[in-house]
Amino acid sequence: MSAHCQLTGRAPGFGKSVSHSHRRTSRRFDPNMQRKRYWLPSEGRHVRLTLSAKGIKTVEMIGIEAAVARIRARGEKV
């Protein structure tokens, strides 16, 4: 699964792990990604979205219709 939120655009952050001896190695901070299935009443079908935990909360707040409109405005296919 891609670590990229369709609604908020969150993607992995990159940095370094620093050991006790202060050696640095690359690491990746992945967002909390989930695949959620929502009923889209205007189209009479379900849509499956890849969302971060923040994106799921945003959908609950603004509604699925507005969320899909935002995703389509960003140019992504739903």
Side-chain angles (χ1 to χ4, degrees):
M1 179 189 320
S2 172
H4 172 77
C5 179
Q6 288 181 292
L7 181 59
T8 62
R10 284 183 186 230
F14 296 90
K16 301 284 187 184
S17 289
V18 183
S19 71
H20 179 69
S21 64
H22 218 66
R23 289 178 60 103
R24 293 167 185 232
T25 54
S26 293
R27 64 159 295 179
R28 188 173 138 140
F29 298 88
D30 284 326
N32 182 7
M33 300 304 298
Q34 310 289 327
R35 294 221 353 126
K36 288 279 285 181
R37 187 171 166 239
Y38 291 100
W39 174 251
L40 195 57
S42 65
E43 297 181 17
R45 67 183 184 105
H46 286 95
V47 291
R48 190 175 299 275
L49 301 175
T50 303
L51 300 170
S52 62
K54 173 80 175 187
I56 292 171
K57 293 174 190 171
T58 303
V59 169
E60 290 173 7
M61 193 172 65
I62 66 173
I64 187 62
E65 297 287 344
V68 168
R70 281 191 195 179
I71 292 169
R72 287 183 173 147
R74 291 180 70 219
E76 288 193 40
K77 187 179 174 192
V78 177

